[in-house]
Amino acid sequence: MGNDGSEFLKRWHRIVETLDLDALGAILADAPTLGAPPYWQKLTGREVVHHLLGIILQTIEGLTYQREWINERELALEFTGKVAGMDLQGIDLITIDQAGRLVNIDVMIRPINAVQALIEHVTPQMTAFFAARSAEH
C-alpha cells in the first residue's frame, strides 16, 4: 500500500460506503488514537477505536465526503450527513503510518445540536462497551 494516503482513501471510502467493519479493523494501526465528541481525551487502542468508529459510521445517515486534502500521510476529509434528522458537517483529520494504517483520527462536527444528538446516541453504547470490557478484565 502506498504511503501517500491515496490507497488508504480508496479503502476508507469503500469501508464507509459498505459499512464493512471487518475491513475497518484491518486498516487500524496497532495502537490507534481517536478524538471525537463527546470525549476531550483521546481514546486509544484498536478495540476501542474500532468500536467507536463503527458506531459513528452506523449512526451518521447519508455520510458523504465532499472534499479531501492529502499531505503525504496527513489527510483532511470534509463530510456531511444527518443524525436524528439534523444536518451535520464535519472534518476527519487522519494520520496514517508508513504501512498505510490509521494511527490517529480526530473527528470534528458541527452544528452543536447535531453534535448533541450524536453524543446522545453514542454515549450509551460506549458506556455499555466499556462496562463489558471492565467486566472481562
Side-chain angles (χ1 to χ4, degrees), residues 3 12 15 22-23 33 79 84 105 109 120:
N3 65 4
W12 179 259
I15 289 165
D22 290 334
T33 56
F79 63 88
I105 181 169
I109 299 173
E120 288 171 6

Side-chain angles (χ1 to χ4, degrees), residues 92-105:
D92 288 332
L93 299 175
I94 298 172
T95 303
I96 58 174
D97 63 14
Q98 290 184 340
R101 297 175 307 162
L102 186 147
V103 294
N104 181 67
I105 181 169

Side-chain angles (χ1 to χ4, degrees), residues 7-113:
E7 282 300 314
F8 174 87
L9 277 180
K10 288 178 192 173
R11 294 177 74 191
W12 179 259
H13 287 305
R14 189 186 65 70
I15 289 165
V16 171
E17 288 168 14
T18 62
L19 292 178
D20 186 345
L21 300 185
D22 290 334
L24 175 62
I27 65 166
L28 298 178
D30 294 335
T33 56
L34 182 147
Y39 308 104
W40 178 248
Q41 299 275 338
K42 288 194 181 233
L43 299 177
T44 303
R46 286 178 56 85
E47 186 181 8
V48 173
V49 170
H50 183 250
H51 192 77
L52 181 54
L53 279 177
I55 292 171
I56 291 170
L57 290 177
Q58 293 175 28
T59 300
I60 299 175
E61 304 159 27
L63 179 63
T64 305
Y65 284 97
Q66 306 299 324
R67 295 183 285 172
E68 302 172 344
W69 297 267
I70 302 172
N71 183 8
E72 296 179 8
R73 293 193 308 265
E74 300 290 330
L75 310 135
L77 312 174
E78 177 191 11
F79 63 88
T80 56
K82 289 186 179 284
V83 63
M86 291 176 265
D87 291 329
L88 64 81
Q89 177 186 31
I91 300 279
D92 288 332
L93 299 175
I94 298 172
T95 303
I96 58 174
D97 63 14
Q98 290 184 340
R101 297 175 307 162
L102 186 147
V103 294
N104 181 67
I105 181 169
D106 288 306
V107 182
M108 292 171 236
I109 299 173
R110 64 179 215 103
I112 192 67
N113 61 344

